[in-house]
Amino acid sequence: MILIDGKATAAAIRAELKEEAEKYKEVCGRAPGLAVVLVGDDPASQVYVRMKSRACDELGLHHRQYDKPADTPQDELEDLIQALNQDPQIDGILVQLPLPKGLDSQRILDMIDPDKDVDGFHPVNVGRLSQGAPCFEPCTPAGCIELLRRYNLPTAGKKAVVVGRSNIVGKPLAMMLTRGGDYANATVTVCHSRTPDLGAEIRQADFIFAAVGVPKLIKADMVKEGAVIIDVGINRTDEGLVGDCDFEDVKDKVSAITPVPGGVGPMTIAMLMKNTVTSFKKRMRVGEFEAKLKWEK
Ligand code: GUN
């Protein structure tokens, strides 16, 4: 059984990005910039935002955090997004979800400039993703695919089951798995709370992507011998953080699996850093600059 080490993989990606960011900082005179907006005092969101800030520090990225009280009016947040859209130091804008009740999240996400939407949640990027066009990919599904790539686990011609249909993970992941290429040419089934026999669906799968947020939902009797499990679940329980799969129960039956914690979680932030550096390069026309340098040589 291969234990897919997301922590080490994410660290390797961050190191690659750090090198890239340092190089471009020198050439362009500024670092890639990320703005993170945190509204309210949800403890899990506070932890995630802190981890995102730390990753920016590690890579030498410019980052700004906007902490707003839970009763911040919609107008004020929309004004902040508009200002960040115009801010030349900022390449990526991230609004940590969920937003407190009373705020219209979709209206706020819709307002982010699609070219700064490093979370990939803007309808323009969702649409581009569905068309297989270049776009910002949502960070968690992108992290899942990157793990498959780096562990050389191609999904081409295989059966994949995605458990969960959220806008953040399940839906975009299903689109990404069918987009084409060695790691994205699976036959995909999306399961959800109204799927009559979840076990029967999952048993068909060579690749299982679990993203429902139900602790230890997936047991050994639901898993085909030799399947690969990518467990996106991060559930706080009395025994600590657990995934959507019962790791101890399934571990002897699978060929590869991500642990929780230390699997997909760290990859999400690494992919956010990647999207931020990509946005910076695009905005600073780094590709054109490099092409010009090559030409002049
Ligand atoms: N809340 C849970 N996951 C995410 C994410 O990937 N991005 C944002 N902005 N909020 C989240």
Side-chain angles (χ1 to χ4, degrees):
M1 184 268 279
I2 299 166
L3 189 65
I4 300 175
D5 188 343
K7 200 173 165 194
T9 308
I13 294 170
R14 291 199 307 274
E16 292 162 17
L17 291 170
K18 184 177 179 185
E19 199 171 306
E20 209 179 352
E22 276 168 0
K23 184 172 87 183
Y24 293 132
K25 196 171 163 181
E26 215 158 278
V27 174
C28 301
R30 74 170 181 93
L34 176 68
V36 177
V37 181
L38 173 63
V39 190
D41 41 24
D42 177 60
S45 290
Q46 285 171 337
V47 171
Y48 291 136
V49 165
R50 203 175 313 134
M51 293 194 297
K52 289 167 187 177
S53 297
R54 262 193 225 140
C56 285
D57 284 337
E58 180 190 336
L59 269 64
L61 305 196
H62 169 65
H63 68 93
R64 264 186 255 152
Q65 189 176 321
Y66 296 86
D67 288 314
K68 296 281 176 188
D71 60 358
T72 303
Q74 178 89 17
D75 287 359
E76 191 182 325
L77 286 175
E78 292 183 7
D79 288 348
L80 173 59
I81 300 297
Q82 302 276 26
L84 292 170
N85 282 344
Q86 304 299 327
D87 191 324
Q89 303 290 323
I90 294 299
D91 304 290
I93 303 169
L94 181 147
V95 177
Q96 187 65 30
L97 300 176
L99 287 174
K101 279 202 187 74
L103 288 169
D104 184 341
S105 307
Q106 196 57 54
R107 235 187 101 106
I108 289 169
L109 295 180
D110 289 0
M111 202 164 264
I112 296 175
D113 178 348
D115 289 336
K116 293 191 177 186
D117 172 37
V118 285
D119 249 338
F121 294 164
H122 190 283
V124 165
N125 283 312
V126 178
R128 284 183 187 149
L129 181 68
S130 78
Q131 293 177 324
C135 63
F136 285 117
E137 296 174 349
C139 304
T140 302
C144 296
I145 305 275
E146 191 61 23
L147 282 176
L148 297 177
R149 197 176 287 130
R150 295 203 179 218
Y151 275 81
N152 195 20
L153 298 165
T155 62
K158 305 284 186 182
K159 281 199 172 172
V161 165
V162 177
V163 189
R165 57 175 161 185
S166 69
N167 288 338
I168 293 182
V169 186
K171 267 188 253 174
L173 183 56
M175 284 196 275
M176 288 162 77
L177 283 166
T178 48
R179 192 175 35 180
D182 285 350
Y183 298 89
N185 248 325
T187 302
V188 179
T189 302
V190 180
C191 297
H192 46 77
S193 52
R194 298 292 178 94
T195 301
D197 189 345
L198 187 61
E201 302 292 346
I202 297 175
R203 265 191 296 277
Q204 306 276 321
D206 304 300
F207 286 83
I208 300 159
F209 297 86
V212 263
V214 179
K216 298 189 178 183
L217 173 71
I218 297 171
K219 307 280 184 195
D221 64 356
M222 300 161 89
V223 172
K224 183 163 98 172
E225 192 81 41
V228 174
I229 297 185
I230 305 294
D231 191 348
V232 183
I234 301 179
N235 307 293
R236 270 157 240 276
T237 69
D238 293 343
E239 47 178 303
L241 288 186
V242 301
D244 291 348
C245 290
D246 189 334
F247 185 90
E248 285 305 314
D249 200 40
V250 302
K251 73 177 195 301
D252 296 326
K253 209 167 174 189
V254 297
S255 61
I257 184 168
T258 57
V260 177
V264 175
M267 291 297 289
T268 297
I269 294 180
M271 301 322 277
L272 172 67
M273 298 296 109
K274 185 169 181 213
N275 281 351
T276 305
V277 173
T278 301
S279 176
F280 167 85
K281 282 161 62 177
K282 204 166 148 225
R283 293 163 50 72
M284 300 300 285
R285 298 171 177 266
V286 163
E288 287 172 34
F289 185 75
E290 283 187 337
K292 190 165 174 276
L293 280 183
K294 266 188 203 151
W295 180 251
E296 282 170 356
K297 263 188 211 162

